[in-house]
Amino acid sequence: MNSALPPGYEISTAPERLDHALIHRWLSQDAYWALGRPREKQDLAIAESLNFGLYDSASGAQAGYGRVVTDRSTFAWLCDVYIDPTVRGKGLGTALVSAVREHLAPYGLRRILLATADAHAVYAEVGFEPLGEPEKWMVFGEQ
């Protein structure tokens, strides 16, 4: 996958490439939506999801992450998108989300949802938009 990636980076869905400890540190210590998430919960989330790792092509070091919860038929939830702070501002988040959309396209999903408090512009660049009829949607649990 090379979805408009800046030179020197690559995206992979290979589970064996994921740095579980790094992903857990990023999310549990720096991501407002996952602060304090236990390692066991993060590992289970990874195991039960379609994962996307963003890597430095030269060193192989992980530079970003995103995961999708999906039935691969009708629906997907994009979550835990994170870019290492040291490489932000290079378009890597947009490239990662674009790669996710491209990867999911052959499934013919009816919708891909996500929630964000601060990255609307990143997602809008690849076609996401606010819910047209939010009054139809409901949630059970934390908000």
Side-chain angles (χ1 to χ4, degrees):
M1 285 180 214
N2 292 338
S3 187
L5 274 172
Y9 293 93
E10 60 189 15
I11 295 172
S12 173
T13 58
E16 65 275 6
R17 292 190 68 185
L18 296 170
D19 185 335
H20 289 236
L22 178 61
I23 293 166
H24 177 254
R25 183 166 35 91
W26 282 341
L27 297 177
S28 70
Q29 295 178 15
D30 191 44
Y32 67 85
W33 65 89
L35 292 175
R37 182 182 290 168
R39 173 70 189 265
E40 304 77 38
K41 285 250 186 220
Q42 185 60 53
D43 285 344
L44 183 57
I46 290 170
E48 298 296 330
S49 300
L50 173 58
N51 300 278
F52 295 78
L54 171 70
Y55 303 93
D56 179 289
S57 298
S59 69
Q62 191 162 351
Y65 174 72
R67 72 182 179 91
V68 176
V69 180
T70 184
D71 59 10
R72 291 182 171 92
S73 177
T74 62
F75 177 82
W77 176 262
L78 174 59
C79 53
D80 289 344
V81 176
Y82 188 92
I83 302 298
D84 188 296
T86 64
V87 296
R88 289 182 186 162
K90 298 180 178 183
L92 295 171
T94 301
L96 179 59
V97 174
S98 182
V100 169
R101 280 204 49 214
E102 289 174 16
H103 185 90
L104 295 175
Y107 300 133
L109 303 173
R110 183 170 178 181
R111 67 180 47 95
I112 302 169
L113 290 178
L114 61 85
T116 185
D118 61 354
H120 296 81
V122 170
Y123 298 107
E125 276 191 55
V126 294
F128 284 87
E129 53 191 44
L131 287 172
E133 298 178 90
E135 67 278 2
K136 287 185 176 181
W137 296 87
M138 298 183 73
V139 65
F140 177 84
E142 274 186 50
Q143 290 194 46

